[in-house]
Amino acid sequence: MRKDLRLELRSGESTLALLALSMLVLVVLVFALGAARVRSVDAAAGALWVAMVFAGMLGANRALLAERDNGAIRGLLLSPLDPSTLYAAKLCAALIFMAVAEVGAVILMVLFFNLDFDASMARLAPILVLGAIGFSALATLLSAITGRTRGGDMLLPILAVPIFVPALIAGVKASAAALAGAPFESMGDWLKIMIAFDVLFVTAGYLLFEHVVGGE
Amino acid sequence: MNNPTIRNWLGFSTLALMLASLFMVFDYVPPDAEMGIAQLIFYYHVPLAWVAFASFGLVAIAGIFYLWLGDQLWDDLGYAAAETGMVFCTLMIIAGSIWAKPIWGTWWTWDSRLTMTFILWLMYGGYLMLRASADDTPQVARFGAVIGIVAAMDVPIVIVSVRLWRTIHPAVLVTKQGTHGLEDPRMVWTLLVSLTAFTLLWAWFLMLRFTQLRTRSRMSKLAGRIALATVAASDPK
Amino acid sequence: MPAPVVETRSLAKTYGPAVVLREVQLRLLAGAGAFIIGGNGAGKSTLLRILAGLEAPSDGQALVFGQDTRRLAARYRRRIGLMAHQSFLYPNLTARENLEFYAELYSLADPRACAHQWLGRVGLAEVADTRVRAFSRGMEQRLSVARAMLAEPALLLLDEPFASLDHDGAEIVAALIRGAVERGACVLATTHGIPEIDGVELAVFEISRGRLMQHAHKEEVRRGGRIRSLLGR
């Protein structure tokens, strides 16, 4: 995992690309929604999550690319490292990576959607973290699959987005509520859904990862 | 299971029951008082939904067994179930859409059950795209198994989340007040016959496809053995 | 008689109708050095990958340390060093970082010292802090050999260890192989030509039409008795 982070820091390019992508997504949405709707917190929350899904996808593809370059993933599989440990490490790296992208996206969202940096940000943070855990857990597992098939870069969103829908619905709703200044209690159900999604997919990834990275 | 006799019987009984259900839907059962003739599509929509969900369940079960036992048979079953399920799921959405136009005044709405079905459809579409984009190696079979399991795991969360999101779908068969229930016993009989007919149709399709995939697996295994034998036969003594 | 490090039992590998390996019977003891020769696509690399557990045989069995290679537990995996065609190195990390990373993976006592030592051994000390991306093929090859031998594996599988190496590089790698054999490791390598490593008795096999055969080389015949005892026959 430390190696993944160092790789990211070293190349730097993907982090930048991620931020640029988040910015572009937000810009496109601002234009697409029109000035009137840009005032609403619903639009802001939606845009934020769109940016997040895109960033997560890009990040997952990138992380796998590093392993694919010289067949390094084989080197890892050959080592005494347990596939589940490998999954945990990859997940942590993806998570940190996504968290950085999220911070960037939130700042941009506040600027573009005329919001304020206030207490609502503190309530938004745990929601975004839950979303990032779920998405990273899913994308790390799926990118190990799509990374080893033809046309895999296209397949990742096709597989990941439908499965991510429940967390996406819950995340958007909870984020909009948080931005509107609602207290935590009012979004209990959404948070529960996100926690359930996270628990389920981290466990699934942990258990199933060995089957997707195993020999051909 | 691969017995052609069973397959033929399955085919014939499907045909007979399908004809029976057609007759019952159009001649025997009284149309719903409020919805009129459009309600009749319900007798196809519900059985289609049932077999579609059953196939996706089967994909997950076959996936678990494949990862556990590693027998190609389970992968063939899962793949066959995903394909058949996709066909029935698509038909179910189309049938529902035809019903929704006169009743709800729209072909599609983001109601919870519709959304859930659509998400399911997307997931298994992804599964089939993955299978189509790769050769049939044990590795890809494992990928399919993992996606089948993950997708099935996701279903309960999808249901909960979309239900919280919004719902206007009529709650047939689960309502306690009986407002949208099936008042007439003839309705119940028609539904049961349709359900059986579609279940048999599904089983028949599944069996045909499964047998085909089994044959293909066996053939590729045999091709390897034949190649080995051919090379061995041409060895210089 | 000691248990063989490598043992295959009528191993076969087919990709669809293409036969890559068949009836492979190989037995190597600890301290044996063996080379496999054969043309491109003869199945040399496939055999090494199967022995490392990266691929499953289509038929027959491959045993390493008496374990089926399809399910090698971590403690057996750590005793295998594979140098494959692909270097397994991260192009965006430096040579030193790559070795330190793998040393950590194998939980070696002192990853930094170990990496440093191996960089010196393969003659890359001067470029230790250059990213692998900027390496020439030969330099990458040296580093790749170091990576495979880092954890002092009891079974060393080398795929074309001399490819794209200059004279010095080839000498270094030959010396490393000799060292490994001398400390009792089992070394199995592939190569195009018939190799000569001073002071090591090498068994030479040839893969031809999918079959592994003892190569009838003049010198081999002469040294035959000694090799046979090493191979456990």
Side-chain angles (χ1 to χ4, degrees):
Chain A
M1 174 197 141
R2 238 182 301 163
K3 174 237 15 172
D4 263 313
L5 290 181
R6 198 187 304 175
L7 268 176
E8 280 313 332
L9 294 178
R10 184 60 51 84
S11 61
E13 55 198 284
S14 48
T15 320
L16 260 180
L18 259 190
L19 286 176
L21 183 78
S22 313
M23 188 164 83
L24 285 176
V25 168
L26 290 172
V27 168
V28 167
L29 283 170
V30 166
F31 287 133
L33 293 171
R37 290 206 208 143
V38 162
R39 299 235 155 246
S40 88
V41 287
D42 286 341
L48 182 63
W49 280 80
V50 172
M52 201 170 118
V53 167
F54 272 98
M57 218 91 72
L58 193 75
N61 265 340
R62 281 290 183 140
L64 216 83
L65 219 59
E67 301 297 350
R68 204 162 41 166
D69 260 354
N70 275 329
I73 184 87
R74 295 221 177 108
L76 295 182
L77 291 178
L78 213 59
S79 77
L81 195 71
D82 199 32
S84 324
T85 317
L86 179 60
Y87 176 76
K90 290 255 145 228
L91 173 58
C92 287
L95 198 56
I96 292 172
F97 191 54
M98 234 179 131
V100 173
E102 272 179 2
V103 171
V106 167
I107 294 173
L108 290 169
M109 176 195 70
V110 170
L111 298 178
F112 289 175
F113 287 82
N114 300 320
L115 300 171
D116 294 311
F117 292 100
D118 55 19
S120 65
M121 291 299 139
R123 280 194 293 271
L124 189 60
I127 300 168
L128 292 183
V129 169
L130 284 178
I133 293 175
F135 193 85
S136 309
L138 180 62
T140 305
L141 176 65
L142 291 182
S143 67
I145 291 178
T146 59
R148 297 169 80 182
T149 48
R150 268 177 281 129
D153 298 352
M154 285 293 291
L155 265 176
L156 180 62
I158 291 173
L159 290 172
V161 172
I163 298 179
F164 189 61
V165 161
L168 185 67
I169 293 176
V172 171
K173 287 279 181 184
S175 305
L179 287 177
F184 261 133
E185 298 77 61
S186 64
M187 34 179 142
D189 285 342
W190 299 123
L191 291 177
K192 271 183 220 152
I193 289 177
M194 296 185 80
I195 291 168
F197 186 91
D198 291 0
V199 169
L200 210 55
F201 279 88
V202 170
T203 318
Y206 196 76
L207 293 176
L208 294 174
F209 199 62
E210 99 181 77
H211 295 291
V212 295
V213 293
E216 34 258 64
Chain B
M1 178 109 182
N2 295 331
N3 192 332
T5 331
I6 302 179
R7 222 158 51 221
N8 288 340
W9 273 108
L10 207 52
F12 285 127
S13 37
T14 305
L15 183 70
L17 272 167
M18 273 290 170
L19 288 173
S21 101
L22 263 179
F23 165 77
M24 287 174 91
V25 167
F26 285 107
D27 208 50
Y28 170 71
V29 79
D32 185 85
E34 288 168 47
M35 299 191 209
I37 196 157
Q39 189 260 346
L40 293 179
I41 208 164
F42 158 86
Y43 298 107
Y44 293 133
H45 181 66
V46 170
L48 283 170
W50 140 245
V51 289
F53 295 146
S55 341
F56 294 150
L58 193 55
V59 175
I61 294 168
I64 292 170
F65 276 100
Y66 181 71
L67 292 185
W68 182 25
L69 302 170
D71 191 337
Q72 181 59 33
L73 179 135
W74 293 107
D75 178 53
D76 289 336
L77 181 63
Y79 196 5
E83 284 187 338
T84 3
M86 196 65 185
V87 171
F88 284 99
C89 193
T90 312
L91 287 175
M92 183 236 305
I93 291 175
I94 293 172
S97 214
I98 294 172
W99 173 86
K101 184 65 183 167
I103 303 300
W104 289 340
T106 172
W107 295 111
W108 183 263
T109 168
W110 292 99
D111 159 71
S112 73
R113 286 190 204 197
L114 274 69
T115 311
M116 185 206 76
T117 309
F118 182 56
I119 292 168
L120 215 59
W121 188 84
L122 284 177
M123 282 182 199
Y124 290 93
Y127 173 98
L128 292 178
M129 280 184 76
L130 172 82
R131 300 300 305 245
S133 73
D135 306 325
D136 285 293
T137 61
Q139 192 186 24
V140 175
R142 282 202 306 274
F143 291 170
V146 166
I147 290 173
I149 294 169
V150 166
M153 269 178 30
D154 200 33
V155 169
I157 312 187
V158 174
I159 292 174
V160 173
S161 67
V162 294
R163 189 164 293 164
L164 268 171
W165 195 44
R166 55 177 66 160
T167 189
I168 57 168
H169 195 285
V172 187
L173 297 177
V174 289
T175 165
K176 281 169 196 137
Q177 292 82 14
T179 41
H180 279 285
L182 305 165
E183 298 94 352
D184 197 305
R186 283 178 291 178
M187 288 180 170
V188 178
W189 278 112
T190 311
L191 182 62
L192 285 178
V193 170
S194 286
L195 272 175
T196 323
F198 274 93
T199 309
L200 286 182
L201 178 70
W202 171 67
W204 186 42
F205 276 11
L206 186 67
M207 202 169 172
L208 285 175
R209 188 64 181 134
F210 177 64
T211 316
Q212 206 178 10
L213 287 172
R214 284 307 296 149
T215 312
R216 192 177 66 173
S217 303
R218 285 212 199 94
M219 275 172 66
S220 71
K221 211 172 191 175
L222 275 178
R225 291 225 187 107
I226 290 172
L228 271 175
T230 315
V231 178
S234 64
D235 269 343
K237 287 288 171 281
Chain C
M1 197 169 78
V5 177
V6 171
E7 185 172 17
T8 67
R9 295 176 186 156
S10 35
L11 183 85
K13 180 76 187 176
T14 54
Y15 293 103
V19 178
V20 180
L21 295 171
R22 64 199 170 100
E23 298 162 44
V24 173
Q25 307 274 15
L26 178 66
R27 237 173 104 86
L28 295 174
L29 297 183
F35 271 83
I36 304 175
I37 60 175
N40 292 334
K44 305 181 300 259
S45 310
T46 308
L47 180 58
L48 294 194
R49 279 204 300 273
I50 290 176
L51 291 179
L54 286 176
E55 268 182 68
S58 312
D59 208 3
Q61 250 189 330
L63 303 176
V64 166
F65 310 117
Q67 308 295 311
D68 193 312
T69 56
R70 276 174 292 192
R71 291 174 296 275
L72 277 179
R75 69 198 152 104
Y76 295 109
R77 282 205 304 269
R78 66 162 297 126
R79 294 169 64 192
I80 303 175
L82 170 71
M83 192 214 87
H85 266 293
Q86 290 176 304
S87 65
F88 300 169
L89 299 167
Y90 294 95
N92 274 330
L93 294 184
T94 66
R96 189 193 302 280
E97 285 167 342
N98 263 298
L99 290 190
E100 280 177 6
F101 170 64
Y102 275 103
E104 276 169 31
L105 268 188
Y106 284 83
S107 29
L108 300 183
D110 188 351
R112 315 204 77 207
C114 175
H116 188 76
Q117 195 182 10
W118 276 99
L119 284 167
R121 277 186 201 164
V122 294
L124 291 175
E126 283 163 33
V127 287
D129 296 308
T130 310
R131 288 196 205 181
V132 169
R133 194 185 359 200
F135 272 24
S136 72
R137 187 76 192 98
M139 287 155 84
E140 198 173 334
Q141 179 82 3
R142 290 183 187 201
L143 191 60
S144 183
V145 172
R147 189 204 63 79
M149 300 181 74
L150 204 60
E152 308 224 321
L155 170 61
L156 190 57
L157 303 167
L158 304 168
D159 199 355
E160 304 276 358
F162 299 110
S164 48
L165 285 181
D166 54 14
H167 181 71
D168 289 352
E171 294 270 287
I172 290 171
V173 171
L176 287 174
I177 293 176
R178 184 169 56 231
V181 171
E182 277 164 5
R183 77 176 153 78
C186 169
V187 181
L188 181 62
T190 70
T191 176
H192 281 303
I194 293 172
E196 288 283 344
I197 296 178
D198 292 341
V200 185
E201 308 268 359
L202 291 178
V204 180
F205 296 95
E206 183 174 7
I207 296 187
S208 157
R209 296 160 48 74
R211 281 210 292 190
L212 185 79
M213 288 174 287
Q214 190 109 34
H215 187 66
H217 183 240
K218 267 186 292 183
E219 299 225 326
E220 296 314 314
V221 176
R222 191 160 52 75
R223 295 177 186 167
R226 166 105 171 85
I227 287 163
R228 245 154 247 231
S229 65
L230 263 172
L231 297 177
R233 284 195 188 149

